[in-house]
């Protein structure tokens, strides 16, 4: 007999302080994956997470992912943590993903408090590195299982988990692991759906479900001229200057309003019809939201739908900078010898790094040829990833939607399925259905390896500052978010598709 | 009775090793003016130079130039060294300028030998920091005076010198000093001409006299958008990106062939007529020279005259880089919040920073307005200096020309004036008359403060690498250059204008 939602929800409320204490323990482990000197802390975090999930009855396997090279040294990768609990063929099998490594953080970067000491602010913010990205969400799953373990309650689904310690540093070794374990007999064999809690609400008010991510193609435009940097007094107006060529080339890529000028790139994406525009119109969002988060009145449009579509369903091209040119303060009269312009395109379906590359190559080569410079030019593709969009009408999303809404009536509906009485709402709000402008590459890995629906179900708010100083998770997001993740499992369990 | 050129020239040959030893002593004092930790060495160099010139009979005054702020600390400026020898109203009074500070140098920068140990290479190169810029030329004057002192010979001119220790760091305090001492009763009162030996031959073969310098106007284009750097995934195609605006703005400044696109700037300079083109046609220079020194076949033209005019008598505009954008290796998907594009224009008469600024301002403001961006834009002028061109028909240049040529017949002519017989040639070559593409601001200071002709009479070759690693001065340039400076004084003394 599955557990009762009411008892679970009460348990979460009653144990809120203990859950925060546990988050504090997790934050105190400095599991920075991008800094070799912290690598032992990432190992420690892998062990800590494993022990926590073992303690609530999950069978755990720590998987050695081998070695990698970072900052010129060979390092052992932190072990991924795979877990399973339940194998009932009458239940759905849910795979959850999260990561236990964090971004670097130093008090001197501008933190108001020690980044590795979780600080509870009077306004309810839990401040600390990893609080929101992604230790809080991982503990949300743990807290849910805690209830079932402590109260000897059966889970409404078969539970699988995959937690990694290299997400903030390229997820090295994860793709191979996921592909291997997705095969028959593998750890993920029989998984019916995936839930990833590692992104954010669009704002600070309304929960979201996320069904799309943009891909990325990153390029370098290399222009090489003289054998070494030259002095502009001696060589100005005697030789072709690489910076002149590069700046002119970079100016042909995108206009001031974000329109991509590389022929064919914008055209690959269908224009949104009235129906599709409605998807963006209903979102809880306004121009003041984007301007507040950018910190300046610089939105490309005063039409909220245009701005949201620009972020979610249109490609974008950003010029990031120039390697090799003068970048310091002051006035250096150098003619740089070799300069590399960096830009990237955020991709949306049907774009892929593979089908966009020929368009980019044709454009920049033709534009460089037009210049008639004697300098040398070469396009370099640095890395890329495909975009991802999934079906929001899938039962996985319906379950998450019902759980997020968790109005009195939805709790009542669940309660009636599990023959208990309703008692409280979680968010009592229809979630916004969003697409992220950025990438979470593991989403695509799971979608392709398992061939099942993947849902992004974030816990934190849009202002959590995941990779910034003073990262926080609101107490209510942590506690209600724990309820949300647990209730989502009930909703999945209650859906009849098997 | 003035000294004999023959005896002087013989003396220089006979004392070459001693002169090289003295240069070695000078190079061993690490008088780096741009690094606070070497400041005491610059003081030491001021004292050393003072003592050397006192030892050859020059009356010396070390002038306190006060303090300045560098790298956040208040530092005493190195004392300038003023010297005088002779006050005969029947002789011309020559003021020579040089500097005894040097550029930074570390073995680890790529020097083949310790930069502060003068190393005599088998090919005759004297390698060491300051060998060519500018300790060698300063010692050229010292060596000349040494002869007159040792042999109790009268100088053919009244000698004045001004040596400073801050040239490589903005010549702080020098302008005020020169203006003060140029007034009646000042140290430079009565000076008839100035000779500065602090630049280079156009190539490695032919001595030059330099009669022009380009000026400089350095600008920053500041574009400010969001309150902080943004993530291109989240904000790409939702806000106006400062980099997009800046790159477009920078692309409107200069074309790939060096033509300045700011309306009016190129137009200020008269087109060269046939007569003027001849001045460049006669110079010992070829396209392969510019391509050899640039290290690549990237000359803007295959016409030597066009290339030389581009460097010497046309303004040039170089794009140096961008402050605030991503400049490292790798692929960072940042939208930089505030970016500053750096560019400078080398100026030629009648251009000045003052008369070019309104053209630049009008252009960039109009181009930015055309963009229609909501970001903020501001033009900032960092620093500037006027160009300088002087009259090559002045007796100061004629004297230097005769001295440089120093063919048997010219030595004979001098010898006949001084009633001695000719004996040897120095370079035995007509010098090239050049204009430098860069700036030597003190030239203009002397020209304006004294109202007399200023001559640039370089000692070193075009490949000396003044501000680079492995700076050198060829032994022959040091020794023949010493003869040249001394013979120049004889030539000035022999000219009858008083
Ligand atoms: Zn994350
Ligand atoms: Zn110098």
């Amino acid at each position: 007999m599955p557990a009762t939602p009411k008892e679970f929800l009460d348990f979460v409320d009653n144990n809120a302080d203990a859950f925060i204490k546990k988050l504090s323990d997790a934050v105190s482990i400095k599991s920075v994956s991008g800094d070799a000197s912290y690598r032992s802390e990432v190992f420690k975090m892998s062990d800590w997470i494993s022990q926590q999930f073992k303690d609530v009855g999950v069978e755990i396997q720590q998987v050695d992912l081998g070695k990698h090279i970072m900052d010129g040294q060979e390092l052992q990768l932190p072990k991924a943590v795979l877990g399973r609990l339940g194998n009932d063929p009458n239940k759905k099998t849910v795979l959850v993903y999260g990561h236990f490594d964090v971004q670097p953080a130093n008090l001197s970067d501008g933190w108001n408090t020690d980044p590795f000491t979780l600080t509870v602010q009077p306004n309810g913010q839990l401040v600390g590195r990893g609080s929101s990205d992604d230790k809080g969400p991982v503990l949300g799953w743990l807290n849910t299982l805690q209830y079932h373990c402590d109260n000897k309650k059966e889970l409404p689904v078969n539970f699988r988990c995959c937690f990694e310690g290299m997400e903030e540093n390229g997820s090295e070794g994860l793709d191979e692991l996921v592909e291997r374990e997705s095969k028959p007999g593998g750890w993920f064999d029989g998984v019916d759906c995936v839930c990833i809690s590692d992104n954010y609400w669009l704002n600070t008010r309304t929960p979201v479900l996320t069904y799309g991510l943009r891909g990325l193609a990153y390029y370098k435009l290399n222009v090489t001229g003289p054998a070494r940097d030259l002095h502009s007094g001696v060589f100005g107006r005697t030789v072709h200057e690489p910076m002149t060529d590069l700046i002119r080339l970079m100016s042909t890529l995108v206009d001031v309003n974000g329109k991509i000028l590389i022929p064919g790139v914008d055209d690959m994406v269908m224009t949104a019809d009235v129906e599709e525009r409605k998807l963006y119109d209903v979102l809880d969002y306004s121009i003041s939201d984007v301007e507040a988060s950018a910190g300046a009145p610089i939105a490309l449009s005063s039409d909220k739908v245009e701005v949201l579509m620009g972020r979610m369903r249109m490609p974008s091209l950003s010029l990031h900078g120039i390697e090799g040119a003068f970048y310091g303060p002051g006035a250096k009269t150098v003619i740089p010898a070799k300069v590399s312009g960096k830009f990237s395109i955020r991709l949306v379906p049907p774009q892929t790094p593979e089908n966009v590359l020929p368009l980019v190559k044709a454009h920049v080569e033709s534009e460089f040829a037009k210049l008639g410079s004697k300098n040398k030019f070469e396009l370099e593709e640095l890395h890329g990833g495909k975009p991802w969009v999934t079906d929001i009408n899938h039962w996985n999303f319906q379950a998450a939607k019902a759980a997020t809404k968790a109005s009195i009536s939805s709790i009542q509906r669940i309660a009636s399925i599990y023959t208990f009485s309703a008692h409280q709402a979680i968010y009592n709000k229809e979630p916004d259905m969003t697409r992220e402008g950025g990438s979470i590459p593991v989403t695509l890995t799971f979608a392709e390896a398992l061939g099942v629906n993947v849902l992004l179900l974030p816990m934190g708010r849009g202002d959590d500052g995941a990779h910034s100083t003073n990262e926080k998770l609101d107490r209510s997001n942590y506690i209600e978010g724990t309820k949300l993740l647990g209730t989502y499992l009930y909703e999945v369990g209650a859906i009849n598709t098997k």
Side-chain angles (χ1 to χ4, degrees), chain A:
Chain A
M1 173 56 52
T4 75
K6 175 175 163 35
E7 284 169 8
F8 166 64
L9 299 176
D10 286 344
F11 180 87
V12 175
D13 280 331
N14 295 336
N15 287 276
D17 289 343
F19 293 161
I20 291 169
K21 173 67 177 62
K22 192 147 277 177
L23 181 57
S24 172
D25 293 346
V27 165
S28 73
I29 302 172
K30 302 171 182 175
S31 51
V32 178
S33 55
D35 184 334
S37 62
Y38 287 93
R39 186 53 57 91
S40 65
E41 291 277 298
V42 194
F43 293 165
K44 193 174 155 188
M45 194 66 203
S46 173
D47 294 342
W48 187 88
I49 282 287
S50 297
Q51 192 56 52
Q52 294 296 321
F53 278 84
K54 278 182 195 163
D55 288 349
V56 296
V58 178
E59 180 194 351
I60 288 292
Q61 188 194 355
Q62 282 180 277
V63 184
D64 190 340
L65 298 176
K67 294 172 195 283
H68 74 140
I69 305 287
M70 190 169 86
D71 304 338
Q73 49 180 310
E74 191 181 56
L75 292 171
Q76 193 69 39
L77 288 163
K79 284 179 179 156
V81 176
L82 303 182
R84 73 181 146 205
L85 177 59
N87 228 343
D88 184 340
N90 295 316
K91 289 180 184 167
K92 291 218 158 45
T93 301
V94 178
L95 169 62
V96 309
Y97 162 89
H99 63 91
F100 52 81
D101 63 319
V102 297
Q103 282 278 317
N106 295 294
L107 192 55
S108 61
D109 296 340
W111 285 74
N112 297 326
T113 54
D114 173 44
F116 296 105
T117 302
L118 191 76
T119 310
V120 183
Q121 299 294 328
N123 62 4
Q125 293 184 345
L126 312 174
V127 178
R129 176 54 88 219
S131 56
S132 182
D133 182 21
D134 187 39
K135 290 176 175 178
V138 168
L139 295 198
W141 298 114
L142 180 69
N143 300 337
T144 296
L145 300 182
Q146 183 84 52
Y147 164 72
H148 296 84
C149 178
D150 286 7
N151 298 286
K152 305 201 161 33
K153 301 288 185 181
E154 208 180 302
L155 271 182
V157 298
N158 300 315
F159 180 85
R160 300 286 178 274
C161 62
C162 173
F163 302 128
E164 66 157 323
M166 282 297 284
E167 198 274 343
E168 304 294 3
N169 195 15
S171 291
E172 286 204 55
L174 192 76
D175 281 6
E176 297 73 11
L177 174 72
V178 171
E179 277 153 31
R180 197 167 63 235
E181 298 299 339
S182 298
K183 289 183 183 147
W187 200 269
F188 306 147
D189 190 11
V191 162
D192 294 302
C193 66
V194 177
C195 180
I196 299 175
S197 188
D198 188 23
N199 65 313
Y200 304 91
W201 296 355
L202 193 51
N203 52 43
T204 58
R205 304 172 297 270
T206 304
V208 311
L209 312 186
T210 302
Y211 64 98
L213 297 166
R214 290 198 287 194
L216 182 71
Y218 203 109
Y219 303 100
K220 243 173 113 175
L221 302 170
N222 299 323
V223 183
T224 314
R228 68 202 75 82
D229 286 359
L230 304 177
H231 187 272
S232 72
V234 183
F235 286 92
R237 209 155 184 165
T238 70
V239 295
H240 287 283
E241 301 189 12
M243 270 294 278
T244 304
D245 301 351
L246 178 64
I247 292 286
R248 296 188 79 81
L249 203 52
M250 290 175 84
S251 77
T252 69
L253 300 173
V254 61
D255 81 7
V256 165
N257 299 308
K259 185 174 148 58
I260 297 176
L261 302 177
I262 300 168
V265 172
D266 271 356
D267 304 337
M268 293 172 83
V269 182
M270 273 199 309
T271 309
D273 57 18
V274 178
E275 246 355 81
E276 194 185 349
R277 294 180 70 93
K278 273 188 201 152
L279 291 177
Y280 300 96
D281 199 36
V282 298
L283 300 183
D284 177 11
Y285 198 72
S286 70
I287 296 302
S288 59
D289 282 321
V290 69
E291 299 196 333
S293 54
I298 56 172
L300 284 175
S301 167
S302 56
D303 177 351
K304 145 190 162 177
V305 171
E306 287 297 323
V307 170
L308 283 170
M309 292 200 310
R311 167 172 171 176
M312 295 180 178
R313 61 92 66 203
M314 290 298 288
S316 66
L317 191 154
S318 294
L319 306 171
H320 305 299
I322 297 173
E323 185 179 344
F326 173 50
Y327 61 83
K332 200 173 162 185
T333 55
V334 66
I335 296 176
K338 179 181 173 170
V339 287
S340 299
K342 311 274 182 85
F343 74 99
S344 67
I345 307 179
R346 296 279 166 181
L347 307 173
V348 296
Q351 296 171 327
T352 64
E354 290 70 31
N355 65 24
V356 165
L357 176 62
L359 299 175
V360 172
K361 198 170 154 65
H363 174 73
V364 295
E365 288 181 350
S366 132
E367 289 294 327
F368 188 79
K370 271 190 220 166
L371 293 179
S373 169
K374 291 183 188 165
N375 291 319
K376 294 217 168 76
F377 167 69
E378 169 202 50
L379 171 73
E380 197 179 330
E381 191 183 25
L382 288 193
H383 70 247
K386 280 188 282 194
W388 166 82
V389 173
T390 195
D391 173 19
I392 56 173
N393 296 313
H394 189 277
W395 54 258
N396 195 24
F397 276 77
Q398 297 307 318
K401 198 173 205 170
T404 308
K405 198 166 171 183
S407 62
I408 303 294
S409 64
S410 104
I411 294 286
Q412 275 172 337
R413 186 175 56 75
I414 293 252
S416 70
I417 290 165
Y418 293 105
T419 66
F420 294 99
S421 60
H423 75 302
Q424 72 175 111
I426 302 174
Y427 287 120
N428 197 14
K429 216 168 178 178
E430 189 84 18
D432 273 346
M433 306 302 286
T434 67
R435 289 165 66 169
E436 286 272 351
S439 312
I440 307 177
V442 70
T443 308
L444 208 70
T445 306
F446 282 118
E448 295 190 337
L450 289 164
V452 300
N453 184 274
V454 180
L455 156 75
L456 305 186
L457 183 58
M459 177 179 268
R461 301 183 186 181
D463 68 346
D464 280 359
H467 291 195
S468 304
T469 52
N470 303 309
E471 176 183 348
K472 59 87 179 171
L473 176 65
D474 290 85
R475 181 193 161 106
S476 67
N477 282 56
Y478 182 46
I479 300 306
E480 300 306 305
T482 291
K483 293 178 188 171
L484 171 66
L485 297 181
T487 306
Y488 158 73
L489 296 182
Y490 285 104
E491 291 283 357
V492 170
I495 280 169
N496 244 331
T497 63
K498 264 194 172 156

